[in-house]
Amino acid sequence: MADSTGLAGKKIAFLVAPEGAEQVELTEPWQAVRRAGGTPELISTAVGKVQAFNHLTPADTFEATVAAETASESDYAGLVLPGGVANPDLLRTDAAAVAFVTDFFTAGKPVAVICHGPWTLIEAGVVHGRTLTSWPSVRTDLINAGANWVDRPVVECSRGPNTLISSRKPDDLPAFGDALVAAFARDS
């Protein structure tokens, strides 16, 4: 686990759709950022309540304080994209959300993604030539988009404009949290 000051003074963006984010894939990385001294901020396609899920069952709601269309990557040291099946599917249809994601790659800032989250990256056109992992059903989509898919708990890929951390599923969250905190502390 990273120390409690590794992200001191750094704000980390968490981008989710208004519904469908896998709750634990939002809350555990959020807590990892906080434990490392960072400040997480919830962004969605609109300001307001977002409905998280435990797989297909509605779970807690959270408050998005920034809309993707007004968010700027320059305000953040890194970006986390939680999974859930509906969450990235909704995000990839929102032009402002996709542009916000793309801006992190253009700026060379670290991005962390888990589970089905790479669907948003595919839409942003940023996975070609990168090595990633994901939920198994996203494998073919990543390969078709030009990525190298591997089945590992966490993958860190620096072959490209930024560091890209990817993870497969909730069971991998402890390693994912450690990897994203280390990358955000080092690369931002």
Side-chain angles (χ1 to χ4, degrees), residues 73-78 104-111 161-163 187-188:
E73 79 35 58
S74 64
D75 293 335
Y76 304 96
F104 279 85
F105 286 81
T106 302
K109 292 185 177 180
V111 172
N162 65 338
T163 298
D187 294 347
S188 56

Side-chain angles (χ1 to χ4, degrees), residues 57-129:
T57 304
D60 296 328
T61 59
F62 300 88
E63 189 72 24
T65 57
V66 179
E69 68 183 2
T70 61
S72 172
E73 79 35 58
S74 64
D75 293 335
Y76 304 96
L79 171 65
V80 177
L81 294 167
V85 176
N87 178 52
D89 195 47
L90 293 169
L91 286 176
R92 68 183 175 171
T93 64
D94 186 273
V98 172
F100 183 64
V101 169
T102 304
D103 289 346
F104 279 85
F105 286 81
T106 302
K109 292 185 177 180
V111 172
V113 62
I114 187 167
C115 197
H116 291 78
W119 276 339
T120 308
L121 299 181
I122 292 167
E123 188 65 32
V126 296
V127 299
H128 191 272

Side-chain angles (χ1 to χ4, degrees), residues 7-177:
L7 296 180
K10 295 184 179 185
K11 194 161 50 165
I12 306 299
F14 282 72
L15 179 62
V16 297
E19 63 180 347
E22 186 71 28
Q23 182 163 315
V24 71
E25 293 173 4
L26 169 62
T27 58
E28 286 199 25
W30 185 282
Q31 289 305 319
V33 165
R34 282 201 171 187
R35 283 191 303 271
T39 304
E41 187 163 73
L42 191 58
I43 300 165
S44 188
T45 57
V47 171
K49 297 277 184 220
V50 297
Q51 176 67 61
F53 279 72
N54 291 325
H55 190 51
L56 299 176
T57 304
D60 296 328
T61 59
F62 300 88
E63 189 72 24
T65 57
V66 179
E69 68 183 2
T70 61
S72 172
E73 79 35 58
S74 64
D75 293 335
Y76 304 96
L79 171 65
V80 177
L81 294 167
V85 176
N87 178 52
D89 195 47
L90 293 169
L91 286 176
R92 68 183 175 171
T93 64
D94 186 273
V98 172
F100 183 64
V101 169
T102 304
D103 289 346
F104 279 85
F105 286 81
T106 302
K109 292 185 177 180
V111 172
V113 62
I114 187 167
C115 197
H116 291 78
W119 276 339
T120 308
L121 299 181
I122 292 167
E123 188 65 32
V126 296
V127 299
H128 191 272
R130 305 300 295 265
T131 299
L132 291 90
T133 193
S134 67
W135 186 255
S137 67
V138 182
R139 174 184 174 266
T140 301
D141 298 327
L142 282 164
I143 291 169
N144 287 342
N148 176 38
W149 187 87
V150 295
D151 185 14
R152 285 187 260 166
V154 175
V155 174
E156 180 173 331
C157 179
S158 296
R159 183 175 181 242
N162 65 338
T163 298
L164 177 58
I165 304 294
S166 58
S167 195
R168 302 175 301 188
K169 57 188 175 183
D171 290 348
D172 302 329
L173 281 165
F176 181 60

